[in-house]
Amino acid sequence: MPILTRWFVKSAFVYFFAALAVALILALQTPLHLAPAIGSLMPVYIHLFMVGWVAQFIFGVVYWMFPKYSKDKPRGSDGLGWATYVLINVGLILRAIGEPLNAQQAQSIWGGLLAISSILQWLGGMAFVANTWRRVK
Amino acid sequence: MPHLTHWFIRSALVDLALGFTFGALMLFNKGVLVSVWIWRLLPLHVELVLLGWTVQLTMGVAFWILPRFGLSRGNERVAWVAFVLINAGVWIVGIGPTLGAPAFITVIGRLAEAGSAVAFAVHAWPRVRPLGA
């Protein structure tokens, strides 16, 4: 298993736990009368789960198992692979921080954090598509 | 990879790229308001990443790696039907609400998606068996 796959898959497990921890907090909101602002964590939960866990696990396995691009570059561009990992993770962490803060104070500096997060995650997704496309054969 | 797997996976990658693009637009818009209209992309974003990307990738890989019958993958025609229906369903369900189409359009899209699930199950069910059986 290549080192990048190990990073993808182990990070995915961390997000799996983090997503379910956020889901637990959301579930405790009503019985413990937590602040209504807790509800702003719903999109964080969904994206920690779907991007951090599901997509990232898939990215790692695809990078490992899909047909080799060539003898010299069996996994395509290592640079694009690592770019995917870094951009997705930095973007997702910025979102997890920025989303609840932006809900408290919309269109502030925290909004800028979400904008940066959106660009980083988008670039990460495009890097994955570009590197994987050539290995579908 | 078989021909149909190319179609499933390349289509899944296109849907991932579009789903990430629409998602990024909405997240950017949440932080720095550009237009309230961008929120109408939400149903399309959800369909593209959940069914267009995740489910279609799963179908493509399953078609590729599930046990075969010698050289045959069984009823391939019904798997192609699943491919066509899932793509039709994703776009009908995704675009309908975005463009303000009547509710029955979404129903048609959901029927296509459900039909895809049935078609793929019909294809894959006999292939789910012990190796060598």
Side-chain angles (χ1 to χ4, degrees), chain B residues 2-22:
Chain B
H3 190 50
L4 179 55
T5 293
H6 290 181
W7 280 90
F8 266 129
I9 294 180
R10 289 212 162 130
S11 182
L13 289 172
V14 168
D15 287 0
L16 175 69
L18 291 172
F20 260 55
T21 301
F22 297 143

Side-chain angles (χ1 to χ4, degrees), chain B:
Chain B
M1 280 181 183
H3 190 50
L4 179 55
T5 293
H6 290 181
W7 280 90
F8 266 129
I9 294 180
R10 289 212 162 130
S11 182
L13 289 172
V14 168
D15 287 0
L16 175 69
L18 291 172
F20 260 55
T21 301
F22 297 143
L25 281 172
M26 286 189 294
L27 184 58
F28 190 99
N29 195 53
K30 187 185 274 187
V32 180
L33 186 64
V34 177
S35 165
V36 291
W37 188 91
I38 290 178
W39 286 114
R40 298 184 74 166
L41 294 170
L42 182 60
L44 185 54
H45 166 65
V46 171
E47 286 302 305
L48 285 167
V49 295
L50 280 185
L51 288 160
W53 154 241
T54 313
V55 172
Q56 206 164 195
L57 182 87
T58 307
M59 285 177 168
V61 173
F63 183 80
W64 174 26
I65 67 171
L66 282 175
R68 291 179 295 184
F69 309 99
L71 292 177
S72 166
R73 287 188 164 83
N75 187 346
E76 294 198 12
R77 186 169 295 181
V78 79
W80 277 99
V81 170
F83 171 77
V84 171
L85 287 177
I86 189 99
N87 281 283
V90 162
W91 284 99
I92 292 170
V93 173
I95 284 185
T98 304
L99 299 180
F104 80 89
I105 295 291
T106 301
V107 172
I108 291 171
R110 291 291 183 214
L111 280 171
E113 291 171 352
S116 172
V118 171
F120 196 78
V122 167
H123 163 79
W125 197 278
R127 294 178 64 188
V128 181
R129 60 198 170 88
L131 282 174

Side-chain angles (χ1 to χ4, degrees), chain A residues 11-99:
Chain A
S11 301
F13 279 120
V14 173
Y15 284 108
F16 189 25
F17 171 77
L20 295 180
V22 173
L24 176 64
I25 294 168
L26 284 165
L28 289 171
Q29 184 187 9
T30 304
L32 295 186
H33 307 291
L34 300 177
I38 294 289
S40 68
L41 289 173
M42 180 56 85
V44 174
Y45 156 59
I46 292 169
H47 289 86
L48 287 177
F49 192 92
M50 286 308 301
V51 179
W53 160 237
V54 177
Q56 191 157 216
F57 196 99
I58 291 170
F59 288 177
V61 173
V62 163
Y63 184 78
W64 174 28
M65 303 283 283
F66 265 31
K68 291 179 171 55
Y69 174 63
S70 70
K71 265 190 176 176
D72 294 340
K73 293 184 172 182
R75 296 191 168 83
S77 163
D78 290 343
L80 281 176
W82 282 103
T84 302
Y85 177 80
V86 172
L87 290 164
I88 288 288
N89 282 281
V90 174
L92 195 52
I93 290 166
L94 289 183
R95 179 179 195 158
I97 295 168
E99 186 101 50

